[in-house]
Amino acid sequence: MNRLLQFTLDLFERDPTPAAPSGPVKRRAAPPRRPKAAPTPDPQLFEPPRPKAPTPSPAGPPAAPLTEVIAPMSFRHPQANRELQLQGTWVAYRFERARRRSIGFVVGPEGLVVRAPRWVPQAEVDAALRTKSAWIVRKLDEARERQTRQAEASVAWADGAELPFLGEPLRVRLQPGALAGGLLHSLPPEAAAEQGVRHLLSLGLPPQAEASQIKDAVQACLMREAKALFAQRLDHYAPQLGVQWKKLALSNASTRWGSARIDGSIRLNWRLIHFSLPVIDYVVVHELAHLRVMDHSPRFWDTVAAVVPDHAERRQQLRLGALPRW
């Protein structure tokens, strides 16, 4: 279109008659005019008209705004009593007044829980939420992804059920003649390749046992294996960190993998048994390091790195692991 417009402007702006010179002019016979060649049409300027998109009937409903078609992401705690938009995301959270000195945020499987002192106004709580908005939304997104992976890793509690054990698949076999507490054994590589699993757990239960009964028996067996393994790994790493642990207890917390007290008491989540040994070792070293540094300062992470240099990668595996629901 620009070329056609330029051609038209040239026709009207150019004066074919030269300016008249001053003084007498000798007239010469005008040479015979040659007919001008017609301009070659540009095929891009003379394309056939494209068919127009059908016009919606005026009687039809108007198009919905984009904000109504694509709803913003949202997170909602089942017991939410406050709501705020953070990073373009609606976050409905549970708000509690508590006897504490500062505002606390906890992101768990159900969503965000905020606790604040009684004297802190709501506007200050909202300001603190906006300050931490990137961290909160990231943690909520990770929790949602973790729940999705856990749902995909759900276990059908019956003969032949499979679940992860030390990072590898384990299969449950119901054998009435097996030990009542269960018998767990690992297969050699050839048998594992043939069976498609690395570990077998034989339970002394009948094939028609109820799902809850099978689940409880498997959990009891895995907790027993977990406590023995955790004690072994604590004994292995404590001398390297120059600390002594006094007591080991298993936990079933939904948001914490372990804890340590200054008196040498260690608590480890028994569900760590689903992860590979390097990931378990990271958590063991993490809690033992707290016996030297009771915070998460740079000195603490230097202590962990001295024994587990790749602790960041192992921690990421811990956060992204898909575990069965119990």
Side-chain angles (χ1 to χ4, degrees), residues 1-17:
M1 184 64 188
N2 292 336
R3 297 175 59 181
L4 179 59
L5 179 61
Q6 185 64 41
F7 176 75
T8 306
L9 291 176
D10 289 344
L11 291 179
F12 287 93
E13 290 181 357
R14 294 177 184 175
D15 186 357
T17 306

Side-chain angles (χ1 to χ4, degrees), residues 237 240-242 285 289 292 298-311:
Y237 284 108
Q240 300 182 40
L241 290 162
V285 171
R292 292 181 55 180
R299 189 165 69 93
F300 167 80
W301 291 111
D302 290 342
T303 304
V304 174
V307 180
V308 184
D310 60 341
H311 61 85

Side-chain angles (χ1 to χ4, degrees), residues 61 65 84-85 90 124 128 131 227 299:
L84 192 67
Q85 192 171 27
W90 282 105
E124 188 172 335
T131 302
K227 190 165 188 178
R299 189 165 69 93

Side-chain angles (χ1 to χ4, degrees), residues 55 59 75 87 92 99 133 143 163 226 269 271 273 277 313:
T55 305
F75 297 95
Q87 300 281 312
R99 297 182 61 183
S133 60
L163 62 157
N269 197 314
R271 292 179 295 123
I273 200 67
L277 189 60
E313 291 80 2

Side-chain angles (χ1 to χ4, degrees), residues 268-322:
L268 295 173
N269 197 314
W270 73 268
R271 292 179 295 123
L272 285 168
I273 200 67
H274 293 303
F275 290 96
S276 63
L277 189 60
V279 175
I280 296 173
D281 285 347
Y282 158 71
V283 179
V284 168
V285 171
H286 185 114
E287 301 309 331
L288 286 174
H290 275 311
L291 300 183
R292 292 181 55 180
V293 185
M294 294 299 293
D295 55 33
H296 289 102
S297 62
R299 189 165 69 93
F300 167 80
W301 291 111
D302 290 342
T303 304
V304 174
V307 180
V308 184
D310 60 341
H311 61 85
E313 291 80 2
R314 301 191 193 190
R315 185 182 183 188
Q316 185 70 4
Q317 296 176 35
L318 184 67
R319 294 165 62 183
L320 299 178

Side-chain angles (χ1 to χ4, degrees), residues 151-163:
E152 295 173 351
S154 59
V155 179
W157 297 105
D159 185 33
E162 294 188 7
L163 62 157

